[in-house]
Amino acid sequence: MNHDVQKIIVLDFGGQYKELIARKVRALKVMSVIMSGDTPIERIQKENPIGIILTGGPHSVYKEDSLHADKALFDLGVPVLGICYGMQFMAHSLGGEVAPCAISEYGKTKTTIDTNSLLYKGIDTTTNTLMNHTDFVKRIPEGFVVTGHTKNCPVASMECPERKLYAVQYHPEADLSESGLDVIRNFLYEVCGAVGDYTIGDFIDKEIQRIREQVGDKHVVLGLSGGVDSSVTAAILERAIPDQVTCIFVNHGMMRKHEPEEVEAAFRGKHLKFVHVNAEKRFLDRLKGVTDPEQKRIIIGEEFVRVFEEESAEYEGSFLAQGTIYPDVVESGHASGAVIKSHHNVGGLPKETKFVGLVEPLRTLFKDEVRELGVLLGLPEEYVSRQPFPGPGLGVRCIGELTKDRLDILRDADYIYREELKNAGLKFDQYFAVLTSMRSVGVKGDGRTYGYVVALRAIHTTDFMTCEYAHIPYDVLDKITSRIVNEVKGVGRIVYDITGKPPATIEWE
Ligand code: XMP
């Protein structure tokens, strides 16, 4: 963590938007850190924040089981912005009253604001905000003034500028709040005195220094999956300690078409040792006859660890590098003391190892920051903006037994699908083909065929926790279908998956 830049602490009360808040703050060039709502006040002070943002949360502040921060936080002299539950917590803690709404508000809501407030500098008197609440502040604490209201919510925002305490019932972090980003910017720059000293460019220099200090003259081994996170990790390690890095790329045989070559190409000519382990046969041998999705995942995970251990055996006494990113380490809401947890994201690497320590250069960054960093470090834009690809690879997109022949059919169909979407100028958050285990009767020329059914999936999502299917134009689907059934032997029928998540998941297995 960079300790010498200004910092905002986002205190999490279990709301779904905590990461969105932290990302918006960073996009405004101020470092943000997420901590659990019940973090002790001394721990917060140690971070020396320029401001604190209290998130929303699912509870009612007046109920026993609700999550409470230490009230002393309002007396630190550090500016506080309470959002939704955060506002209710502020009101409740400082002698106001919170009660159930007569009419709950959900969605975009016309809001009238007092533009004399620093929080609303430069914003129109009426603006749309995203409301999502069943409780409201019925009576504000002494010393506070109301600075915003809606038709059904008398206190849409309140403040006590003398104590630098501000609060909004709506969600300024959500895009549906028209002036939301301005509200956050005003809080940072007008109230907290931010100078905007957080940039990814600075991050590189500081992190390189930190890696050098941590590692000394020891060697570092990185399990490179080819995904964005581990690739960017490799790129920053190369900058920091070029002659001390070995990247082990385990090709488990379930990569997409041309993917192993693409990964190699991205690292060819770089000053690091790149070991390409082709373990395709070994994985497929272990997976022979296995059709159960969970079994497949377990076997692929275990085998990955085994191969990695064997390949890294000669590096005893080295550091292990991982592409862990911030969302992997942030633990939400009701933490039992610990703020973060360690999360291994490279297919579950060995827990007990001969490595002397972990190097995780990206553990304070969000995904979009990782992509930005990758480009600054010289990785091709197209490479770092690739869609996510699961650790078990095509293993979870090839329903039924995993054989080389079936994986090749899937690889070819998937390649055509991706190529035609690209030709049509379409890009979705995730899109891929699935080879089902079903075969279907067809006719080609005068003959009967009995080929596999391939399903196509394309989705819109921001968080990958939920998704909606993408509306691919029919003419594009026509072209994809015609090419796949004509060019890929063994495929007889194409279907398009229009299920959202929930109830489906993004992957089929
Ligand atoms: P589901 O299928 O659970 O997927 O809706 C959500 C997102 O996670 C990806 N995914 C994985 N990523 N290892 C990973 O690194 C895995 O085992 C794994 N399984 C699913 C999936 O591609 C989607 O983006």
Side-chain angles (χ1 to χ4, degrees):
M1 194 71 66
N2 307 326
H3 283 287
D4 45 357
V5 293
Q6 292 184 327
K7 194 182 296 170
I8 288 286
I9 289 183
V10 176
L11 274 190
D12 172 30
F13 290 100
Q16 52 182 329
Y17 295 133
K18 64 176 186 290
E19 287 181 6
L20 206 52
I21 299 172
R23 275 165 56 186
K24 290 265 151 103
V25 170
R26 289 188 188 193
L28 291 164
K29 301 200 181 314
V30 182
M31 176 61 174
S32 61
V33 183
I34 301 171
M35 296 176 118
S36 174
D38 56 5
T39 302
I41 198 84
E42 301 75 35
R43 176 80 184 80
I44 293 173
Q45 280 178 297
K46 225 168 117 188
E47 293 287 330
N48 196 22
I50 60 163
I52 298 169
I53 299 180
L54 314 177
T55 76
H59 297 277
S60 282
V61 75
Y62 45 81
K63 295 238 168 93
E64 283 265 316
D65 62 349
S66 62
L67 186 65
H68 282 205
D70 190 332
K71 284 184 204 168
L73 125 105
F74 299 116
D75 296 319
L76 292 177
V78 176
V80 181
L81 172 65
I83 295 177
C84 197
Y85 177 92
M87 162 155 134
Q88 294 163 9
F89 173 69
M90 188 187 285
H92 183 77
S93 305
L94 300 175
E97 188 186 345
V98 177
C101 302
I103 303 173
S104 301
E105 288 180 307
Y106 300 107
K108 215 160 137 173
T109 311
K110 197 168 141 192
T111 309
T112 307
I113 55 171
D114 177 356
T115 51
N116 291 318
S117 162
L118 268 188
L119 208 57
Y120 293 134
K121 195 174 163 186
I123 303 176
D124 290 342
T125 332
T126 52
T127 181
N128 279 312
T129 64
L130 176 71
M131 285 288 188
N132 188 12
H133 63 118
T134 48
D135 283 345
F136 78 120
V137 173
K138 193 171 172 188
R139 185 168 43 81
I140 58 174
E142 227 177 277
F144 275 69
V145 289
V146 175
T147 56
H149 66 272
T150 69
K151 187 162 159 256
N152 294 311
C153 181
V155 187
S157 58
M158 63 174 199
E159 66 186 40
C160 177
E162 298 76 26
R163 295 174 71 184
K164 296 187 183 156
L165 303 180
Y166 294 79
V168 295
Q169 179 56 63
Y170 55 87
H171 289 276
E173 71 278 22
D175 290 340
L176 282 177
S177 290
E178 262 166 21
S179 311
L181 197 63
D182 294 325
V183 170
I184 298 175
R185 181 187 293 113
N186 284 339
F187 177 68
L188 299 177
Y189 286 86
E190 302 295 331
V191 180
C192 301
V195 295
D197 57 1
Y198 176 71
T199 67
I200 285 290
D202 293 345
F203 174 89
I204 296 181
D205 295 337
K206 289 185 184 126
E207 190 54 27
I208 284 177
Q209 198 50 39
R210 201 201 59 73
I211 293 170
R212 286 181 183 153
E213 279 164 21
Q214 182 191 5
V215 170
D217 58 2
K218 290 209 159 49
H219 204 80
V220 177
V221 180
L222 169 70
L224 186 71
S225 69
V228 176
D229 303 341
S230 61
S231 297
V232 176
T233 303
I236 196 164
L237 287 174
E238 192 224 14
R239 276 280 177 96
I241 42 167
D243 301 316
Q244 294 160 250
V245 188
T246 298
C247 295
I248 300 180
F249 169 56
V250 178
N251 176 0
H252 52 25
M254 281 157 285
M255 312 293 284
R256 286 165 293 195
K257 190 163 171 164
H258 300 322
E259 196 160 23
E261 300 88 56
E262 279 166 21
V263 177
E264 264 211 76
F267 290 94
R268 196 176 298 137
K270 293 221 184 287
H271 291 279
L272 39 74
K273 199 169 152 206
F274 184 90
V275 182
H276 180 162
V277 186
N278 189 343
E280 181 180 33
K281 183 163 180 329
R282 182 171 166 164
F283 275 85
L284 290 184
D285 282 349
R286 271 214 64 199
L287 287 160
K288 216 177 194 126
V290 179
T291 56
D292 178 70
E294 272 319 293
Q295 265 318 99
K296 283 189 195 172
R297 277 176 179 274
I298 290 166
I299 292 173
I300 295 169
E302 277 175 7
E303 199 60 21
F304 186 91
V305 171
R306 239 172 256 170
V307 176
F308 188 82
E309 271 177 341
E310 286 170 24
E311 295 294 331
S312 61
E314 61 182 288
Y315 299 104
E316 186 157 354
S318 299
F319 279 88
L320 175 69
Q322 292 196 150
T324 317
I325 69 171
Y326 200 42
D328 298 332
V329 297
V330 177
E331 193 173 275
S332 93
H334 301 246
S336 51
V339 179
I340 54 173
K341 66 181 172 192
S342 187
H343 174 111
H344 293 193
N345 70 346
V346 189
L349 284 174
K351 293 210 171 45
E352 305 224 336
T353 64
K354 55 218 167 296
F355 297 107
V356 292
L358 268 184
V359 183
E360 296 180 312
L362 312 181
R363 62 179 294 121
T364 63
L365 302 185
F366 286 109
K367 194 79 175 189
D368 44 352
E369 295 177 309
V370 171
R371 295 191 205 278
E372 207 182 321
L373 182 65
V375 173
L376 286 176
L377 289 167
L379 291 174
E381 173 97 47
E382 211 175 67
Y383 187 85
V384 297
S385 60
R386 287 177 311 162
Q387 54 169 331
F389 188 59
L394 299 184
V396 292
R397 295 179 181 170
C398 188
I399 317 303
E401 192 179 357
L402 297 168
T403 63
K404 171 114 174 64
D405 287 350
R406 298 192 73 232
L407 285 163
D408 281 342
I409 291 176
L410 174 56
R411 259 188 280 267
D412 287 342
D414 182 68
Y415 189 77
I416 292 172
Y417 178 41
R418 290 186 290 127
E419 189 171 61
E420 285 305 327
L421 287 182
K422 192 172 167 193
N423 289 343
L426 295 170
K427 188 148 184 0
F428 305 108
D429 297 308
Q430 207 167 358
Y431 47 101
F432 52 87
V434 174
L435 184 72
T436 73
S437 51
M438 179 191 270
R439 291 204 283 169
S440 127
V441 175
V443 54
K444 253 188 194 168
D446 289 329
R448 177 187 191 271
T449 59
Y450 192 49
Y452 283 113
V453 176
V454 162
L456 306 176
R457 186 132 174 83
I459 55 131
H460 296 292
T461 179
T462 47
D463 54 11
F464 295 88
M465 309 284 283
T466 60
C467 82
E468 286 173 27
Y469 79 93
H471 294 215
I472 299 182
Y474 282 126
D475 58 331
V476 180
L477 284 173
D478 283 351
K479 180 116 192 259
I480 295 163
T481 301
S482 144
R483 276 198 63 196
I484 295 177
V485 292
N486 282 305
E487 295 176 34
V488 187
K489 229 173 131 207
V491 177
R493 198 177 287 262
I494 309 291
V495 296
Y496 187 56
D497 180 356
I498 61 165
T499 331
K501 171 182 179 178
T505 51
I506 295 172
E507 302 290 346
W508 274 39
E509 287 193 333

